[in-house]
Amino acid sequence: MTQPAPAARPSATVPGAVHRLVDVPGGRIHLLEQGTGPLVLMIHGFPETSYSWRHQLSAVAAAGFRAVAVDVRGYGRSSAPSSADAYRMTALVGDNVGVVHALGEETATVIGHDVGSAIAADSALLRPDMFTAVALLSVPYAPWNAAVRPTDGFARVGGSEEFYVSYFQQAGRAEAEIGPDVRGWLAGFYTSLSGDTMPPPGTDSPFFVPAGGSMRERFTGGALPSWLTEAELDLCSAEFERTGLTGALNRYRNLDRDWEDLAAWDRARLTCPALFVGGALDSSTTWMADAIADYPTTLPGLVSSHILDGCGHWIQQERPAEVNAILTKWLRTVHP
């Protein structure tokens, strides 16, 4: 039986959307909502918030859906538990389940970007009764592998330097780098991973930290990417200046716990109707090319897969019109 929807208020930053705070077993989740129809739940990545879906909310709503973009636990106005292990994957999937229930719904289509792609995939994997279709942006689906502990695997990736995931896993280290200049760090991170402003091929990657160094020393300088205005950067950085980055970084600090928690899903296929959209210039697409090639086995419900030429990591913000067209076509396919 559905429950009445919680009170909402208009958003000042995303025209047509409303803000809502909903209670879930793990605390509370802030979300942006627009439209009516089948529920479509959007999960952002690092370091973003529900605002990263500002271009999709109206398009998905206009296509006949109830579009909802959440602030993941630890971000924005959602709860931010102090314990690092509160950010394990099972807790984040539980938050998504709680949001669906709080909105009076029984099922949802889930869309995720970056680390939100993994949260979306695992939501569909763990609760296929509730999350009946999944769209993955930028980060491909790769089944859990019981043979390789994540921390060990990422340590090997770094070689003589340190892979960014290993860097983020150390409590307090990235916070010490980011904290003195949150806006400048975010600007550098967004710019370095964007298709029109990323470092040229052959230069040192911002994903690898030199011994004794920091990530930001390899960020691209100069103008912001074309998709991000100074005002939008101000809004994004203000959220992280208020909350800090620890809650966001705690996602990376739970990968080994996830590996243990989800051992029963070793090499599990994700069988629901699915969509993948990646950027041709995004390292996630190139590094995980084998995962994409394995989709006939690992993602047998795949409806379509798209690689956008010239596009970097922030795909739904870099190419909103293209991504909206792909998403709405797919949504109408899985909800005829």
Side-chain angles (χ1 to χ4, degrees):
M1 180 177 178
T2 60
Q3 301 295 321
R9 60 184 178 81
S11 168
T13 56
V14 182
V18 297
H19 289 285
R20 196 186 300 279
L21 282 170
V22 301
D23 292 325
V24 299
R28 71 178 187 182
I29 296 294
H30 169 258
L31 56 86
L32 293 170
E33 179 181 2
Q34 189 167 351
T36 60
L39 178 60
V40 177
L41 195 63
M42 304 179 191
I43 316 298
H44 66 79
F46 173 92
E48 301 173 290
T49 65
S50 54
Y51 184 68
S52 68
W53 298 104
R54 61 195 177 279
H55 303 300
Q56 284 67 53
L57 285 162
S58 59
V60 171
F65 297 89
R66 186 181 186 183
V68 171
V70 302
D71 285 345
V72 172
R73 176 186 298 216
Y75 289 83
R77 304 178 200 181
S78 293
S79 293
S82 58
S83 176
D85 67 2
Y87 296 83
R88 63 209 312 149
M89 183 62 77
T90 52
L92 301 182
V93 171
D95 287 344
N96 288 346
V97 171
V99 168
V100 174
H101 286 316
L103 294 176
E105 303 285 357
E106 296 180 356
T107 61
T109 293
V110 61
I111 301 172
H113 171 253
D114 182 71
V115 296
S117 175
I119 298 170
D122 285 334
S123 295
L125 189 66
L126 273 62
R127 288 298 306 269
D129 58 315
M130 176 172 284
F131 301 103
T132 57
V134 61
L136 311 174
L137 275 58
S138 296
V139 174
Y141 176 66
W144 288 100
N145 184 348
V148 181
R149 183 178 292 273
T151 294
D152 298 336
F154 289 122
R156 289 196 292 270
V157 171
S160 62
E161 296 189 326
E162 190 173 18
F163 192 48
Y164 81 102
V165 175
S166 301
Y167 182 67
F168 284 169
Q169 285 180 323
Q170 299 178 49
R173 190 169 171 204
E175 289 94 324
E177 175 185 340
I178 301 167
D181 180 18
V182 172
R183 189 182 191 277
W185 194 92
L186 291 175
F189 195 69
Y190 295 149
T191 300
S192 298
L193 277 62
S194 183
D196 60 345
T197 52
M198 63 175 49
T203 57
D204 289 332
S205 169
F207 288 110
F208 294 89
V209 182
S214 65
M215 285 188 69
R216 71 184 309 149
E217 63 191 76
R218 289 186 172 169
F219 287 170
T220 301
L224 294 177
S226 58
W227 58 268
L228 182 66
T229 67
E230 295 285 350
E232 289 171 330
L233 177 60
D234 285 341
L235 190 151
C236 295
S237 60
E239 284 290 270
F240 287 107
E241 285 165 352
R242 180 178 60 82
T243 64
L245 273 292
T246 297
L249 290 162
N250 278 339
R251 172 83 292 271
Y252 297 93
R253 295 162 186 167
N254 278 277
L255 298 180
D256 285 351
R257 292 188 183 98
D258 298 338
W259 180 72
E260 295 169 355
D261 291 344
L262 302 177
W265 284 268
D266 179 36
R267 304 184 189 274
R269 302 188 308 160
L270 189 55
T271 59
C272 66
L275 170 73
F276 176 71
V277 190
L281 301 180
D282 185 4
S283 295
S284 298
T285 302
T286 55
W287 287 343
M288 299 186 70
D290 288 348
I292 297 172
D294 285 344
Y295 277 169
T297 299
T298 63
L299 209 60
L302 185 69
V303 174
S304 62
S305 181
H306 309 261
I307 304 296
L308 305 187
D309 289 339
C311 188
H313 184 68
W314 316 107
I315 191 163
Q316 77 269 30
Q317 299 179 82
E318 291 187 48
R319 300 287 183 83
E322 290 174 74
V323 170
N324 290 349
I326 291 169
L327 285 177
T328 53
K329 180 180 180 180
W330 174 74
L331 286 167
R332 290 185 178 115
T333 299
V334 298
H335 295 278

